[in-house]
Amino acid sequence: MNFDLIVIGSGPGGYVAAIRASQLGMKVAVVERESLGGICLNWGCIPTKALLKSAQVFEYIQHASDYGIQVSGAQADFGAMVKRSRGVADGMSKGINFLFKKNKITVINGNGRLVRGKKVEVTAAAGAKTEYSAEHIIVATGGRAKELPNLKIDGKKIIDYRKAMTLEQQPKSLVVVGAGAIGVEFAYFYHSIGTKVTIVEFLEQGLLPREDPDVSKELAKIYQKAGIEVLANTSVETVDTKGAGCKVTVKSRKDGSVKQIDCDVVLSAAGVTPNTESIGLEELGVKTDRGFVLVDDYYRTNVPGIYAIGDIIPTQALAHVASAEGITCVEKIAGHTPDPIDYNNIPSCTYCSPEVASVGLTEQAAKDAGYTLKVGKFPFSASGKASAAGAKQGFVKVIFDAKYGEFLGAHFIGANVTEMIAEVVVARKLETTGHEIIKAIHPHPTMSEAVMEAAAAAYDEVIHL
């Protein structure tokens, strides 16, 4: 019943923290109320990528003639796609169980709640309560879909991302509210298999409003050409679910015009909110702000021995961020001296088609910060590998400080760019300059050559434009 460390939550923050702590010699327990792996492995990152891959394969088949291959009669089997996605998620969850056994981590099933005296009270499914104690307790309870005041999720006609992955049948029409990563990924998936999709975004920039505007405009152009309706700078006023489907009333924030959209289902993708209720934070006096737990650079709360990581703290709600926070937290607990995480060098990836990836400052943010810039852009239409692959959409955009050559940011849109962004993350970590990127020989033909070419374009040295 006594541990060196108890972690509440087994998502990518919690399970990574637990394994690293075990590697460092701690006796560790993890409290989990559902399946090991948390939202990411079971309802987020992994199963959505399985669905998106199914959609991508279906698109390949539909365009097989572009590659000199004749295919006829191909159909999207929605039920089979969902089943495959759930199978992938289940396999990953079992993998976490294997890792826990390998690292001698105790799994405690139930709802965890902080109690005084450095203890965690766990309520099992049957209602029995058991207390466990630990010198250190990490809260990693993650987040859930945010509900808007006029968009109450009922799980039937107004759904969240979890239900979007397990619908009993494919909707003929879908309205997606919110154009962040979750919204545009599900919009791509459902549109690719034949659902009529409309995206409604409150902010003026439209798709992926936190990305560089050049990327947002490019993705919007591609989506609209494909037949996805994008309504930017638009608010959802009401959703009437009384009939067979939904009647969504939206209002333009630009001119005040109102229109009604009829659809089968509405997907609420307006962000996430932290799971910080009912876990004992208030009783222990742990400081929060709008539901987010306040921590220092090493994830210590104001209460000694209590830590918080992942989506419940006000950092980027990304799986790889939570994992990095977990490792940094337990290494500090173990007496090591890890560097605090540089949140200005966190890669962001969106797995729609084409993919989007970025790191660092946007062009406007760099200007606002007072930098004089060198900006280079290289379109994949000029890439030999992209042409051969039939993936000419998109570009690589890079931003350097003109004075010292500092790599300030990069913004990609195109095929497989989520696999390319790590080059820039490492380059920025190593304080690589623009000229060093240009002189680093990239293999030909590859999509990654576009990074070198974009850097060269920033310095007026580009060859293939």
Side-chain angles (χ1 to χ4, degrees), residues 11-73:
Y15 86 75
V16 169
I19 292 172
R20 183 65 181 131
S22 179
Q23 291 174 343
L24 294 170
M26 298 184 205
K27 182 182 178 184
V28 184
V30 173
V31 180
E32 175 55 57
R33 67 182 181 182
E34 293 188 56
S35 301
L36 295 180
I39 293 297
C40 177
L41 267 66
N42 293 283
W43 298 103
C45 318
I46 305 304
T48 56
K49 303 312 163 282
L51 289 174
L52 292 167
K53 187 62 181 180
S54 292
Q56 185 183 56
V57 170
F58 184 53
E59 281 199 329
Y60 279 152
I61 293 171
Q62 289 179 306
H63 294 90
S65 60
D66 296 343
Y67 300 87
I69 302 169
Q70 298 302 318
V71 177
S72 60

Side-chain angles (χ1 to χ4, degrees), residues 33 39 140-145 161-162 272-276 310-312:
R33 67 182 181 182
I39 293 297
T141 47
R144 64 185 184 278
Y161 58 85
R162 291 182 65 146
V272 297
T273 191
N275 293 325
T276 50
D311 293 0
I312 64 168

Side-chain angles (χ1 to χ4, degrees), residues 255-274:
D255 60 19
S257 60
V258 175
K259 67 180 292 187
Q260 179 180 294
I261 307 168
D262 295 329
C263 65
D264 294 332
V265 177
V266 176
L267 169 60
S268 179
V272 297
T273 191

Side-chain angles (χ1 to χ4, degrees), residues 265-399:
V265 177
V266 176
L267 169 60
S268 179
V272 297
T273 191
N275 293 325
T276 50
E277 307 91 346
S278 305
I279 56 174
L281 295 172
E282 291 183 3
E283 290 84 344
L284 266 64
V286 175
K287 291 182 179 179
T288 61
D289 180 23
R290 294 170 296 171
F292 292 99
V293 181
L294 300 179
V295 295
D296 66 9
D297 287 345
Y298 295 102
Y299 312 101
R300 296 172 291 205
T301 70
N302 62 299
V303 177
I306 306 298
Y307 310 80
I309 61 172
D311 293 0
I312 64 168
I313 66 174
T315 56
Q316 295 101 315
L318 299 168
H320 45 284
V321 172
S323 296
E325 290 169 347
I327 291 172
T328 301
C329 180
V330 298
E331 288 184 347
K332 187 66 174 179
I333 289 171
H336 293 211
T337 55
D339 292 331
I341 292 173
D342 177 6
Y343 287 99
N344 294 316
N345 198 32
I346 301 294
S348 175
C349 297
T350 305
Y351 301 86
C352 49
S353 184
E355 293 181 346
V356 172
S358 64
V359 66
L361 298 176
T362 64
E363 182 176 356
Q364 187 59 53
K367 289 178 180 177
D368 292 344
Y371 290 102
T372 300
L373 305 182
K374 285 190 175 294
V375 179
K377 186 185 288 187
F378 189 80
F380 283 117
S381 59
S383 162
K385 178 64 180 292
S387 292
K392 296 166 65 175
Q393 293 177 321
F395 56 80
V396 166
K397 178 179 179 179
V398 293
I399 303 164

